[in-house]
Amino acid sequence: AVAGALLFSLGYLLASFSGGHFAVLLASLGVIAGAGIGFGYVCPLSTGMKWFPGHKGLVTGVAVAGFGGGAILLGSLAEVLLYGRSWDVLQVFRFVGAVFGIVALVSALFIVEPPRGAAAAAAAENPGEARLRDYAARPVFRLLCLGIFAGTFAGLVIVSDLKPMMLRFGLGERLAALSISLFALGNIAGRIAWGRVNDRLGSRIAIPASLAFLALALKLLLISSAAGPLLASVVLVGIGFGGCFVVYASAMVENYGVALFPKLYPVCFLFY
């Protein structure tokens, strides 16, 4: 987690001195800061599951809701700095690298393993060491990768074109912009809600239920062009999309144990 915080901060700080050159931005934001996010993402998930073994879905949902909420916070803050204070984008990069990097670094220092007894119990869930390719060859692993690909692909198709889509449906500029915020809120709520569902019903039920929910929510977009039903459908799509970041992580733990989660889940997450 500390390595992730340092890489994230370094990437944004280097980008702030890039002068806007594409190759430097590609290396600093795309590679270095991206690697920082990769280092840090799995740490609160795997550690939280060890602390709360009876609520793995919920604690995963809360953690990844923070990840999604951070994107909203950063987007809103960047808008204030760019348009409210007339900063240029390189100054925003410098601010993010310094302030968010320090927050991430301090937070990383508080991520600790649970007491030895609880950690031993989590490790006992490990079904035995084997090479990564041995686990990846199992049908259940491939199905989980296929599921997260399908769910996140469907959600990304919507969110990447959401505002123009709402404008084509006849919503005004203000409501079309509002739809993006509503999707984001649904995304955050869905991560927590599906975590609860997963804890109660297990991933064997939660995964097909989440995909069916998302499919139904997508269909609702086609039923009405009125503002109210459209915006409600956008929230539901966000809830279904958010579930993808919880149910597959929980399924990995159910099938392979907490000890193998940091090794296997990143491979599954690549399909997102």
Side-chain angles (χ1 to χ4, degrees):
V2 168
L6 293 175
L7 286 169
F8 176 86
S9 181
L10 177 62
Y12 270 90
L13 290 175
L14 288 175
S16 73
F17 294 103
S18 68
H21 294 293
F22 175 74
V24 181
L25 291 172
L26 182 67
S28 57
L29 293 179
V31 178
I32 298 175
I37 293 172
F39 266 80
Y41 184 87
V42 76
C43 298
L45 271 64
S46 57
T47 308
M49 290 178 182
K50 293 176 183 177
W51 274 99
F52 304 98
H55 303 280
K56 295 187 182 76
L58 178 60
V59 73
T60 300
V62 171
V64 295
F67 188 81
I72 299 174
L73 174 63
L74 179 55
S76 301
L77 178 61
E79 191 169 335
V80 170
L81 296 177
L82 286 168
Y83 303 113
R85 298 197 176 185
S86 300
W87 287 18
D88 66 48
V89 70
L90 298 180
Q91 289 176 294
V92 175
F93 287 162
R94 196 165 305 147
F95 177 87
V96 171
V99 176
F100 280 59
I102 291 172
V103 171
L105 181 61
V106 172
S107 300
L109 300 177
F110 287 90
I111 299 179
V112 295
E113 298 285 330
R116 184 169 298 177
E125 297 179 12
N126 186 344
E129 283 299 329
R131 293 179 302 175
L132 179 60
R133 68 177 64 177
D134 296 329
Y135 289 101
R138 297 181 182 181
V140 65
F141 186 89
R142 295 181 178 184
L143 287 171
L144 291 175
C145 293
L146 177 62
I148 196 171
F149 169 81
T152 56
F153 185 93
L156 287 172
V157 165
I158 297 298
V159 72
S160 64
D161 197 37
L162 186 55
K163 185 176 179 181
M165 188 184 304
M166 293 297 108
L167 290 173
R168 287 197 298 271
F169 279 141
L171 271 63
E173 185 76 24
R174 185 179 63 84
L175 289 178
L178 176 64
S179 69
I180 298 174
S181 298
L182 292 176
F183 182 95
L185 291 174
N187 185 7
I188 295 172
R191 297 178 187 214
I192 299 173
W194 283 107
R196 294 279 294 182
V197 171
N198 193 90
D199 284 338
R200 290 179 177 273
L201 303 179
S203 61
R204 199 176 288 266
I205 295 177
I207 286 178
S210 67
L211 289 172
F213 181 95
L214 178 57
L216 179 60
L218 291 167
K219 292 292 186 184
L220 291 176
L221 287 173
L222 303 175
I223 291 178
S224 174
S225 59
L230 272 176
L231 293 177
S233 301
V234 167
V235 175
L236 294 177
V237 173
I239 291 173
F241 178 63
C244 296
F245 300 95
V246 179
V247 293
Y248 298 98
S250 300
M252 280 288 169
V253 175
E254 289 179 24
N255 285 279
Y256 301 109
V258 175
L260 284 174
F261 175 81
K263 180 185 290 187
L264 297 178
Y265 183 62
V267 179
C268 179
F269 197 73
L270 281 174
F271 285 80
Y272 161 52

